Amino acid sequence: MIGSAASLGLGDRRELFGALAFVGILFIAPAVLGGNPRFQYLFPIAFWVLLYISLATSWNIVGGYGGQFSFGHSAFYGVGAYTIAILALGGMNALTLLPMAAVFATLLALAVGIPSLKLRGPYFAITTLGIGETMRILANNLEEVFVGGSSGIALSTIAGWVPAYSHALTAGVAAICLIASYLVRVSKFGLRLMAIREDEDAADSLGVNVMANKLAAFAISAALVSLAGAAETLRTSYTFPDYAFGLQLSVLMVLMTLIGGLGTYLGPVIGATIFTLFDQFFLVSFPYLHLLLYGSLLIVILIFEPNGLLGIWNRLGATSKAAG
Amino acid sequence: MESVLPFLLVNGVLLGAFYALMASGMNIIYGVMRIINLAHAGFIMLGAYFSLVLVNFFKIDPVYSTVLALPFFFLVGYAIYRHIVNRLARAPPIMSLLLLFSLWLVLRNLAYMLFTGDTQSITSASAFARTVDVGIPIPLTRIVGAVMAVGGVGLLYLFLSRTKLGKAMRATAQDREVSSLLGINPSVIAAMTFGLGTALAAAAGCISTLLYAFDPAFGGNLLIKAFLIIVLGGLESIMGMAMAGLMVGLLESFAGFYLRFGLVDAMSFVLFIIILVVRPSGLFGKVRF
């Protein structure tokens, strides 16, 4: 049912280059067209598309390929954001902070993943929901660790960082996520993940180390999400617990992936792009309507086409081929 | 210290009663269908707005709107099951989890559109809004809320143990195949259960207006607590669930005093994660997930 044979989204080299080219366009377009006041709005849109592509693509590694639905991935986003914010306050150089964000996120993923990944399906999902919310509450209340408490951290200057870099960094993070997702998809590791998704017991009986593979996917996904969190914090110089550790971000990662096509390579890219456009054009005039529509769209998709927009596309392709 | 103890105890018991009712709707849906109803939070929130609307437009006391909410939300839940949830009854459980999660998103944003994101409070709108002194001063609304919650859980217990429909629900929860062999239509029972669970959530939402202020995101933190109570109490046992609700209420009451108040929810969630991982059959239950 999930990720059944489809003509698009299998993750061949063509799709990798296509996705990377798209990231390239989003990187260059604002710089080229940004001088023209008519196209100024492109800059933020390109940034959000890149950021959301990173989030959905990383979530898809554990949720889509591995079938382990995390509803608490904002925990790792928040770790990325807070690693940057706290250590930059201490005067550390921004570029040395990025790998540290990934390291902390990986450690957290291992710490919470080892117990929680023993649970299956819905139980894992609701446990991660608890993990995300726990992190949010801790960040709001433990001012000893998460400096600033509920009001968050605002950074005036960051050593070794020029704000103009942030767009390039975000594009870089998106490219890293897409390459990582591709490498997982075409590797034996990816095949093992998909075997676990389809039938955990069967995979186990064929000699797949279920726990180790799930944990590896969880940790990789967490590290990538933390890079996105770090990139956004470097751009805005500000982060606060209810956003960085908030349920909203965890939900977005799931939503975007599902809309585009769960477990497919290009699905998260399509879902993230469409969501951002929805978000940017509806948000101003109808602040809540877009999430209402998005939720409804998701319900319709879950009922009629669990493979998302990519599934609909492939179905249309199959019909037109049959007709022609 | 001695003067604080009775206050914390009473507060914990009153809170626990509310928690038990709040979890009961999710519990029966989980028991019969093995679905974690993430839309539960949305129905609690809608129940709260239901009582807000009744107070504002019809001057109906939140205490009475609880009774009116039951049939209304039963029909809402029944219809939602019949038209939406039922379609994924045979899909992997994670799909219905996502579906109900999307439903929560829809309900929440519907509430944002209809009622704006402003925090609403109608605790003082009730005729029972005064403080009584039973050795320690306690708001009467808290006592009324707890009594109604205990009454609700008691009625649910009687319904499940004495009536034919209730027994049919329990039979379906125990063994779907065998009960359908006995002439019980599992899909009708499932729709009835979903309606009842929705009604109980909304009733808890109405009662919650006596205790808390609320906004469209209200219920989110209650969701994990409800599931904690189900996991703690084990399935198929209303008494186990009531005990678990009481435990969580007492724990939070004491933790709120001895720890930092803001960390109370985090403690419940950490407890939840530990219980689920270490002892998934619950403290009192026998059923393994």
Side-chain angles (χ1 to χ4, degrees):
Chain A
M1 173 159 176
I2 306 164
S4 55
S7 46
L8 250 187
L10 285 175
D12 53 19
R13 197 166 292 174
R14 199 169 43 117
E15 292 186 0
L16 169 70
F17 291 144
L20 288 179
F22 183 52
V23 167
I25 291 169
L26 289 171
F27 169 50
I28 294 168
V32 175
L33 300 170
N36 186 334
R38 277 176 65 197
F39 294 110
Q40 288 233 305
Y41 65 89
L42 272 179
F43 215 92
I45 292 182
F47 168 79
W48 288 112
V49 174
L50 287 170
L51 189 79
Y52 286 161
I53 286 177
S54 318
L55 292 181
T57 302
S58 338
W59 186 88
N60 188 46
I61 293 175
V62 66
Y65 300 158
Q68 311 300 316
F69 277 60
S70 165
F71 278 99
H73 252 46
S74 68
F76 308 118
Y77 189 93
V79 165
Y82 267 83
T83 305
I84 290 287
I86 293 170
L87 295 183
L89 278 182
M92 273 183 77
N93 187 293
L95 290 173
T96 55
L97 291 175
L98 282 171
M100 293 194 69
V103 168
F104 283 131
T106 308
L107 289 177
L108 179 68
L110 294 177
V112 299
I114 289 172
S116 63
L117 281 165
K118 284 181 196 155
L119 299 162
R120 293 186 182 189
Y123 309 105
F124 173 71
I126 193 152
T127 307
T128 52
L129 191 69
I131 290 167
E133 283 294 278
T134 306
M135 287 300 290
R136 184 179 67 78
I137 295 167
L138 290 181
N140 267 312
N141 292 287
L142 285 184
E143 291 173 13
E144 301 88 332
V145 185
F146 301 91
V147 188
S150 59
S151 48
I153 303 176
L155 298 161
S156 48
T157 51
I158 304 167
W161 192 252
V162 183
Y165 294 170
S166 3
H167 195 67
L169 176 68
T170 315
V173 169
I176 291 173
C177 293
L178 284 166
I179 293 169
S181 171
Y182 172 77
L183 291 177
V184 170
R185 174 90 209 193
V186 297
S187 66
K188 282 191 177 165
F189 171 52
L191 288 176
R192 286 195 288 266
L193 284 180
M194 286 177 249
I196 292 168
R197 173 186 74 196
E198 296 305 325
D199 192 329
E200 213 168 305
D201 297 315
D204 186 43
S205 73
L206 291 172
V208 174
N209 186 338
V210 172
M211 189 61 195
N213 283 288
K214 284 205 276 193
L215 196 59
F218 194 55
I220 292 171
S221 171
L224 294 173
V225 165
S226 79
L227 288 181
E232 200 206 337
T233 307
L234 282 173
R235 178 178 188 263
T236 55
S237 311
Y238 175 57
T239 195
F240 65 103
D242 284 348
Y243 172 73
F245 289 103
L247 184 59
Q248 187 85 356
L249 273 173
S250 303
V251 173
L252 281 187
M253 296 182 217
V254 185
L255 281 184
M256 294 186 293
T257 312
L258 272 166
I259 297 273
L262 179 68
T264 61
Y265 179 68
L266 283 183
V269 180
I270 295 167
T273 309
I274 288 176
F275 178 81
T276 315
L277 296 179
F278 246 74
D279 205 42
Q280 295 292 324
F281 292 118
F282 278 102
L283 191 63
V284 188
S285 29
F286 311 102
Y288 300 112
L289 185 65
H290 77 297
L291 275 177
L292 181 79
L293 289 175
Y294 223 74
S296 316
L297 178 62
L298 200 55
I299 291 177
V300 171
I301 280 188
L302 283 166
I303 291 175
F304 295 106
E305 183 52 74
N307 291 324
L309 293 176
L310 214 52
I312 294 173
W313 171 265
N314 286 330
R315 203 183 271 193
L316 290 176
T319 336
S320 67
K321 248 181 228 164
Chain B
M1 193 55 65
E2 265 175 46
S3 59
V4 182
L5 197 64
F7 177 76
L8 293 178
L9 271 175
V10 170
N11 191 41
V13 170
L14 296 181
L15 194 62
F18 168 69
Y19 280 172
L21 179 70
M22 185 264 305
S24 63
M26 200 173 175
N27 193 7
I28 58 166
I29 290 176
Y30 185 80
V32 170
M33 282 166 270
R34 291 293 185 272
I35 290 174
I36 299 170
N37 183 12
L38 290 183
H40 194 70
F43 292 122
I44 293 176
M45 177 272 297
L46 283 188
Y49 278 99
F50 181 80
S51 100
L52 175 77
V53 168
L54 290 189
V55 165
N56 284 354
F57 290 96
F58 305 104
K59 301 269 175 279
I60 296 174
D61 200 287
V63 171
Y64 306 122
S65 62
T66 311
V67 182
L68 296 173
L70 285 168
F72 180 77
F73 280 94
F74 176 83
L75 291 176
V76 170
Y78 188 88
I80 286 180
Y81 185 84
R82 270 285 143 119
H83 294 292
I84 300 175
V85 185
N86 196 20
R87 290 170 187 269
L88 288 185
R90 286 174 206 291
I94 193 76
M95 285 296 160
S96 35
L97 185 87
L98 283 169
L99 183 78
L100 289 159
F101 193 73
S102 317
L103 185 63
W104 181 26
L105 196 70
V106 169
L107 295 177
R108 207 169 24 169
N109 287 287
L110 200 63
Y112 273 120
M113 286 176 70
L114 292 175
F115 305 105
T116 75
D118 298 346
T119 303
Q120 309 279 355
S121 174
I122 50 173
T123 36
S124 57
S126 170
F128 300 93
R130 58 175 181 273
T131 306
V132 289
D133 204 321
V134 284
I136 43 170
I138 292 174
L140 184 59
T141 44
R142 297 206 73 144
I143 300 177
V144 173
V147 168
M148 291 178 69
V150 170
V153 173
L155 283 176
L156 179 66
Y157 178 75
L158 288 177
F159 169 75
L160 289 175
S161 57
R162 299 287 157 83
T163 66
K164 213 166 182 179
L165 184 59
K167 285 178 183 168
M169 283 179 184
R170 277 167 55 220
T172 313
Q174 274 177 8
D175 196 320
R176 211 182 163 90
E177 269 87 50
V178 173
S179 51
S180 75
L181 283 176
L182 294 172
I184 299 169
N185 183 340
S187 103
V188 170
I189 291 296
M192 293 273 194
T193 310
F194 201 86
L196 183 60
T198 307
L200 288 167
C206 288
I207 293 177
S208 76
T209 60
L210 298 171
L211 314 173
Y212 304 109
F214 53 93
D215 64 10
F218 181 69
N221 61 341
L222 293 177
L223 193 67
I224 298 173
K225 277 179 210 173
F227 202 66
L228 164 68
I229 290 164
I230 296 175
V231 173
L232 266 176
L235 291 164
E236 302 186 8
S237 160
I238 295 290
M239 291 317 284
M241 189 196 67
M243 291 297 292
L246 207 61
M247 271 174 62
V248 174
L250 282 169
L251 200 68
E252 290 196 348
S253 173
F254 279 86
F257 182 73
Y258 291 106
L259 292 174
R260 234 175 289 181
F261 185 71
L263 289 177
V264 169
D265 279 352
M267 199 199 51
S268 290
F269 298 166
V270 169
L271 181 69
F272 162 71
I273 295 165
I274 293 172
I275 299 276
L276 199 55
V277 169
V278 175
R279 198 173 151 70
S281 54
L283 290 186
F284 308 109
K286 298 181 285 283
V287 184
R288 211 188 144 75
F289 292 131

